[in-house]
Amino acid sequence: MDKLDQYAVYGNPIKQSKSPQIHLAFAEQTGQKLHYRAHKVELGRFAEVAGQFFAHGGKGLNVTVPFKLDAFEFADQLSGRARRAGAVNTLAIQDDGSIYGDNTDGVGLVRDIHDNLGWELQGRRILVLGAGGAARGILGPLLKKGVSQILIANRTVDKAQKLAQQFEKLGSIAGCSYADLASGQFDLIINGTSASMSGDLPPLPSHILSNDGCAYDMMYSANPTPFMRWAAGETAWAVSDGLGMLVEQAAESFCIWRGVRPDTKPVIEMMRQSLSA
């Protein structure tokens, strides 16, 4: 019996990861024979453990919090979007033994918003909440879709402004504080903070959504997040969590590894049902 190709997701914590369920569903759908597991990596040991994984025949890794910067440093080669983001969530071994690093977060978000939800991005004014790793991966792909402008709001203004400067060659983008949001309206607000995980909400003023504005939380749960409930109260035209993004970014990783793109719709539906079970 042939040994199955080995894949994994590395993170800390990792118990909550849905990646094994998603990738094994992709494998079954596309007829790919592989093994995929979730592995908790101790802080400070990412390069050591990832090096061992690939040295023992591992084919590819997904990388989640808090190791996306470690993965960026670990990779021998980087995609353009990974280099711009300064973070890597997908590693793949190449024929020559080198390690390729990519960031599929942004393309996953764009595909979910544009293809799955049918929300327009071109020419839209976008507010991104938070200037951490979640926001870092999505800015380039959003700007490349021809949005009108992106404003990054963060509690630490300097961090938002520095992040915006890294992407200013791609389009109109700036950083500000939450207090600066008192004026202005946006067509799409994306929550890239982890506030929803603790049941909290960023300090947002009222009336910052345009009349046909939408709201997207990069977090996901069985029930609407505090941010989604806030947006619905602000009469958002549509709201969504980030489950579709999770599946879409995984599909991009799967395609990088296996050269075949899975159909994401049935997997998103399966994952949604499993959340509410």
Side-chain angles (χ1 to χ4, degrees):
M1 182 178 176
D2 292 337
K3 185 179 179 182
L4 296 179
D5 288 345
Q6 300 292 307
Y7 297 89
V9 57
Y10 282 4
N12 187 340
I14 200 64
K15 188 177 181 181
Q16 81 290 352
S17 176
K18 307 293 184 186
S19 292
Q21 193 177 351
I22 293 170
H23 281 283
L24 291 175
F26 288 161
E28 182 178 4
Q29 179 195 113
T30 58
Q32 299 286 307
K33 297 185 181 300
L34 56 85
H35 182 266
Y36 189 108
R37 66 188 179 96
H39 183 74
K40 180 180 178 181
V41 176
E42 296 304 318
L43 301 182
R45 294 191 61 205
F46 178 85
E48 174 193 350
V49 177
Q52 291 172 353
F53 173 82
F54 286 112
H56 287 89
K59 298 294 185 181
L61 288 174
N62 283 134
V63 183
T64 188
V65 176
F67 298 120
K68 292 183 182 183
L69 296 181
D70 299 83
F72 180 86
E73 297 295 334
F74 181 82
D76 299 310
Q77 304 157 29
L78 294 166
S79 69
R81 58 194 180 193
R83 191 174 290 108
R84 281 189 295 272
V88 160
N89 76 336
T90 303
L91 293 169
I93 195 162
Q94 306 296 283
D95 290 340
D96 63 359
S98 64
I99 306 300
Y100 172 77
D102 203 347
N103 189 312
T104 67
D105 286 333
V107 70
L109 173 91
V110 166
R111 284 196 181 125
D112 190 39
I113 287 177
H114 187 268
D115 300 348
N116 299 335
L117 298 172
W119 300 355
E120 184 57 62
L121 285 171
Q122 187 167 0
R124 308 295 269 177
R125 296 159 296 174
I126 296 180
L127 172 63
V128 174
L129 308 178
R136 183 177 288 274
I138 68 172
L139 298 174
L142 282 171
L143 287 166
K144 288 198 163 190
K145 288 298 285 187
V147 303
S148 172
Q149 67 174 110
I150 294 178
L151 187 62
I152 307 166
N154 194 61
R155 292 182 189 275
T156 307
V157 184
D158 186 55
K159 190 174 181 182
Q161 292 173 338
K162 285 182 177 177
L163 181 58
Q165 288 171 5
Q166 295 175 28
F167 291 87
E168 60 187 8
K169 290 183 180 179
L170 296 180
S172 176
I173 185 169
C176 71
S177 70
Y178 286 109
D180 293 330
L181 297 175
S183 61
Q185 284 194 320
F186 302 90
D187 305 308
L188 171 61
I189 302 179
I190 299 173
N191 182 22
T193 74
S194 59
S196 292
M197 295 178 69
S198 55
D200 295 327
L201 182 71
L204 299 171
S206 299
H207 312 303
I208 59 171
L209 264 175
S210 62
N211 291 334
D212 61 346
C214 303
Y216 190 96
D217 197 333
M218 292 171 67
M219 300 293 137
Y220 60 90
S221 66
N223 301 307
T225 66
F227 171 74
M228 292 169 67
R229 293 197 300 270
W230 169 84
E234 290 289 308
T235 64
W237 173 72
V239 297
S240 178
D241 69 5
L243 185 65
M245 173 186 173
L246 176 71
V247 176
E248 291 292 348
Q249 63 82 23
E252 183 75 2
S253 296
F254 191 89
C255 189
I256 290 168
W257 295 331
R258 308 300 292 185
V260 59
R261 182 170 299 284
D263 181 4
T264 54
K265 186 176 180 180
V267 180
I268 293 172
E269 292 174 353
M270 177 193 76
M271 296 304 300
R272 182 67 67 191
Q273 290 173 2
S274 73
L275 277 183
S276 57

